[in-house]
Every structure is written in C-alpha cells, then in structure tokens.
Amino acid sequence: MNTRFTKILASLTLGLAILWGLTFLGTAVSHLGDDGAVCVKTGFWANATLEGGLPVGQGVEASSSTARLCQNNPSTAQRAADLGGQLPWTLFASVALLLFSRLLDAVVSEGPFTDKVARRLTVLGWFVTLGTPLAGLVVGWSQSWLAASMVPMLDSGPTVSDPQVLILAGLAAVIMGKIMREGVRMREDLEGTI
C-alpha cells in the first residue's frame, strides 16, 4: 500500500473540506448582508397559456412561462429560502470530504483492515445515504417555498434534487464498512487461535 499517496490524498481532501466549509460560511454571510434581489426558477407554468402574464406578487419580475422569478426587495424569510436553495449541497460536500479525510487518516495510521477504518467507512456511508435525500429535500422545499412566496396562488410542493445516485454510493460504503468490520473480527479471532 502506498502510504505517501494516501497521506497526500488525506491532506488534499481535508483542504477541500475546509475550502467548501469556508465557501459555505462566506456565501451565507455575504448573502444575508446583501440587499439585492433573490431569484428562483419554476416550471409550474411551462405548458400554460396565461392571458395578461404570470400572476406574480407585488415587486416580483417574471421572465417567461418557465419562470425565473425575482423579488426585488426580499423579506428575511425569502432571503433565507434562497440560501436554502444554494447552501445544502455545499455543506454536504464539506462534511463528506471531512469524513473521507478522517477515513484516509485512519488508513494511514492503522492500516486499511482495522475496526477504526471500518467504523469510519460506515459513518461516511450513512452520512452520504441519509444526507443526500435530506440536502435534496431542503433545496427543493426552499425553492418551492420561495416560488410560492412570490406567486401567491402557487403551491408546487416539495421536490428533490438530482444527485440521488449518491444514496447508492452511501449504501455501498455502509455495506463495505460492515464487511470490513466482520473481516477485522475474523482476523482477530484467527490471531487469537494461532
């Protein structure tokens, strides 16, 4: 096993986790202090023909029937919902990279087939499995609420974002963690027998 490469990869993923975390914080702070418009896209009227344009609220500009809605003077709740549409995936990526970095550190310090590595792989797998739909729901709900706040008659309901394939990767990591934990237990039993 090439521990030098694994150490470099662990350092790189830790650096990326920190970078994503700083991006998360910077975006949140700068966006909350911003006084510009917030925008959201909705395809609610994609197949509709509406006389007189879209039924938008006061201060909202709509660009087409596959609407890009922009609120010029957003409320605090609208600004928070806009952040809810942007930041969950950034936070998810930061935490996933941090967990992966910790997994690689355990591989470097103790070797790949240890209980610590198996536990960290399982934690990473569960985080990806449960965090993917949770982040997708937060994004979907935030965007739906923001669109509904700009168009009073709109209630499009929650949606989930696209990267749901990550759930399979997370479940694979959970299963591999369980297999590795069982392998570690069997190795310890074998060493105790000999």
Side-chain angles (χ1 to χ4, degrees):
M1 185 174 128
N2 189 346
T3 58
R4 173 185 258 180
F5 176 73
T6 307
K7 285 180 183 178
I8 292 170
L9 189 57
S11 298
L12 182 63
T13 55
L14 179 61
L16 286 173
I18 292 169
L19 182 64
W20 278 94
L22 291 173
T23 301
F24 172 83
L25 291 174
T27 302
V29 169
S30 68
H31 194 70
L32 286 175
D34 185 16
D35 60 354
V38 295
C39 297
V40 65
K41 284 186 178 183
T42 179
F44 187 77
W45 295 280
N47 297 321
T49 305
L50 301 172
E51 292 181 29
L54 299 174
V56 297
Q58 185 176 0
V60 177
E61 295 176 16
S63 61
S64 70
S65 62
T66 56
R68 175 177 161 82
L69 305 169
C70 293
Q71 179 73 47
N72 292 324
N73 295 312
S75 67
T76 304
Q78 287 174 320
R79 194 163 295 288
D82 188 39
L83 279 173
Q86 297 176 19
L87 293 181
W89 290 117
T90 306
L91 181 61
F92 175 82
S94 178
V95 174
L97 285 168
L98 180 64
L99 292 172
F100 185 64
S101 175
R102 289 179 36 103
L103 170 67
L104 291 176
D105 284 339
V107 168
V108 168
S109 66
E110 296 185 16
F113 301 106
T114 62
D115 191 49
K116 186 176 188 178
V117 170
R119 278 184 285 135
R120 288 189 177 176
L121 181 60
T122 302
V123 168
L124 175 61
W126 278 118
F127 176 77
V128 171
T129 300
L130 299 175
T132 298
L134 181 63
L137 283 172
V138 169
V139 168
W141 282 333
S142 296
Q143 291 174 341
S144 293
W145 185 89
L146 185 57
S149 74
M150 292 182 198
V151 182
M153 66 177 270
L154 177 64
D155 185 12
S156 59
T159 59
V160 180
S161 297
D162 292 336
Q164 299 306 314
V165 73
L166 291 175
I167 295 172
L168 296 175
L171 287 173
V174 169
I175 292 167
M176 287 303 300
K178 299 268 185 201
I179 290 170
M180 287 180 67
R181 189 172 293 155
E182 190 63 27
V184 168
R185 188 190 61 75
M186 289 172 62
R187 186 182 77 195
E188 290 170 353
D189 287 347
L190 182 62
E191 288 173 355
T193 304
I194 296 177

